[in-house]
Amino acid sequence: MQKYTKISAIQEILLSEKRKGKKIGFVPTMGFLHEGHLTLAERARQENDIVVMSIFVNPLQFGPNEDFESYPRDPERDAGLAQSAGVDMLFLPEAEEMYSGSSIKMHVTERTDVLCGSRREGHFDGVATVVSKLFNIAGPDNAYFGLKDAQQVAVIEGLVNDLNFPVNIVRVPTVREEDGLAKSSRNVYLSEAEREEAPVLYRSLMDAETFISEGESNPETIISHIQNRITAETSGEIDYIEIYSFPELKEIRELHGEFIIALAVKFQKARLIDNIIIKRTQEEKQNV
Ligand code: AMP
């Protein structure tokens, strides 16, 4: 595995590999790698000739009171893990390398007025900026994103469509701990007691799925079930529990088509997000 910190160096070699007809798979991350990230890399390994991973804690996507400074970092451990997952090229730029100019500002206008987008001002503008730059640097055929960050997937799909990036976005299902907690670099912020409670987030989403399969079709009823369980069984403060069509992220009155149930819960030091995406046809609805 080769490491790069300079844009021109990795861009040049990837351009020449592309000209030789090599297929490039790209996995953008902020590092502190866990099995979620590695699953993306392994999937990229199976589907491409060259696997590129970036590790960059992107200052643009953090708000002023967020955890940019304290975000967990361990580049040496990450390099070993990336190599074992089959990554060929690891791109680790400094912020100065990525943001030397400031003549363009991106602003995402769709799919950002709900969920994390409405609570983290400018977050998805920062994500769209860095992902656009990384796509131009890596020139991937396929880029891998986790559904753990489903709104990010929705925004990136909109970005690729609007700006005509010649890249296929691959949605990868959420990788979980055995007890159901979605793997996240931020799980290290949880206290021991909070770590015990945290799987309730996913369990409450699973309850919701069961209620829906039994015929419940009112989003409000589902939301209050989830709310009640999280309030009763955790010390976390609910930031949001919301249901929208996916990937459009528009309000829906009845649960059919493809929709997302997404939540964010704040613990002492960690804000955890999770979601499930459900596809329910009109037929299934009538058969209940
Ligand atoms: P991050 O380093 O948190 O920015 O994540 C980098 C990529 O890994 C994003 O596409 C995330 O959605 C994805 N990812 C993070 N956690 C998971 C997980 N538990 N399962 C699947 N993908 C994940």
Side-chain angles (χ1 to χ4, degrees):
M1 185 181 73
Q2 213 50 41
K3 288 190 201 173
Y4 298 84
T5 54
K6 295 284 170 237
I7 293 171
S8 55
I10 191 165
Q11 196 173 35
E12 200 174 307
I13 187 148
L14 284 170
L15 265 174
S16 93
E17 292 294 337
K18 235 175 134 66
R19 282 197 204 101
K20 290 183 214 152
K22 294 279 166 64
K23 203 191 261 189
I24 297 163
F26 178 48
V27 182
T29 82
M30 298 204 299
F32 210 66
L33 301 180
H34 53 68
E35 229 177 287
H37 301 112
L38 301 179
T39 302
L40 267 57
E42 283 156 10
R43 175 89 186 263
R45 180 72 281 159
Q46 287 164 16
E47 299 173 358
N48 301 276
D49 300 310
I50 297 175
V51 178
V52 182
M53 176 184 276
S54 61
I55 295 183
F56 179 57
V57 184
N58 174 31
L60 281 196
Q61 68 189 70
F62 288 79
N65 299 317
E66 295 184 2
D67 57 344
F68 174 69
E69 294 296 340
S70 63
Y71 194 82
R73 293 162 166 92
D74 193 344
E76 281 195 9
R77 180 175 157 272
D78 284 352
L81 290 170
Q83 181 156 24
S84 68
V87 171
D88 299 302
M89 298 185 189
L90 191 60
F91 181 46
L92 305 134
E94 294 291 337
E96 299 78 57
E97 176 73 4
M98 287 296 279
Y99 297 119
S100 53
S102 56
S103 55
I104 296 276
K105 239 193 180 104
M106 292 185 90
H107 179 52
V108 184
T109 54
E110 290 283 323
R111 305 178 174 183
T112 51
D113 57 339
V114 296
L115 306 174
C116 292
S118 63
R119 276 96 182 165
R120 302 183 67 189
E121 210 195 321
H123 171 70
F124 286 111
D125 294 347
V127 169
T129 305
V130 79
V131 170
S132 300
K133 287 175 70 78
L134 290 168
F135 282 175
N136 283 329
I137 292 164
D141 296 276
N142 298 304
Y144 296 78
F145 289 87
L147 283 169
K148 149 116 191 331
D149 301 288
Q151 187 171 21
Q152 175 166 277
V153 171
V155 167
I156 300 296
E157 288 180 356
L159 171 80
V160 163
N161 192 47
D162 272 25
L163 297 190
N164 311 104
F165 281 106
V167 54
N168 172 45
I169 300 300
V170 182
R171 300 176 180 180
V172 180
T174 302
V175 178
R176 299 180 179 280
E177 304 286 354
E178 259 176 38
D179 59 13
L181 175 64
K183 299 220 179 208
S184 165
S185 307
R186 290 188 171 101
N187 289 349
V188 294
Y189 295 151
L190 294 170
S191 71
E192 220 171 289
E194 289 173 338
R195 175 63 190 80
E196 294 265 303
E197 299 168 2
V200 170
L201 274 49
Y202 183 55
R203 284 187 212 132
S204 70
L205 290 169
M206 291 289 88
D207 289 348
E209 189 171 34
T210 307
F211 293 137
I212 292 164
S213 70
E214 287 168 0
E216 182 56 65
S217 64
N218 182 347
E220 291 308 321
T221 313
I222 293 296
I223 288 169
S224 33
H225 275 297
I226 297 173
Q227 190 173 357
N228 292 342
R229 182 153 190 198
I230 292 177
T231 309
E233 296 181 36
T234 80
S235 58
E237 180 199 332
I238 294 170
D239 189 2
Y240 64 72
I241 303 168
E242 295 174 8
I243 300 182
Y244 298 106
S245 62
F246 191 83
E248 301 79 10
L249 302 184
K250 297 286 183 212
E251 269 183 38
I252 48 171
R253 288 200 191 158
E254 256 199 78
L255 301 175
H256 60 82
E258 190 167 12
F259 56 91
I260 180 166
I261 311 178
L263 53 80
V265 177
K266 286 181 184 160
F267 289 89
Q268 288 288 326
K269 288 196 193 141
R271 177 178 172 280
L272 302 187
I273 58 171
D274 204 349
N275 72 79
I276 53 172
I277 294 168
I278 296 178
K279 227 185 218 165
R280 192 161 181 244
T281 61
Q282 199 65 23
E283 251 169 51
E284 276 171 320
K285 217 183 101 198
Q286 280 160 1
N287 285 340
V288 174

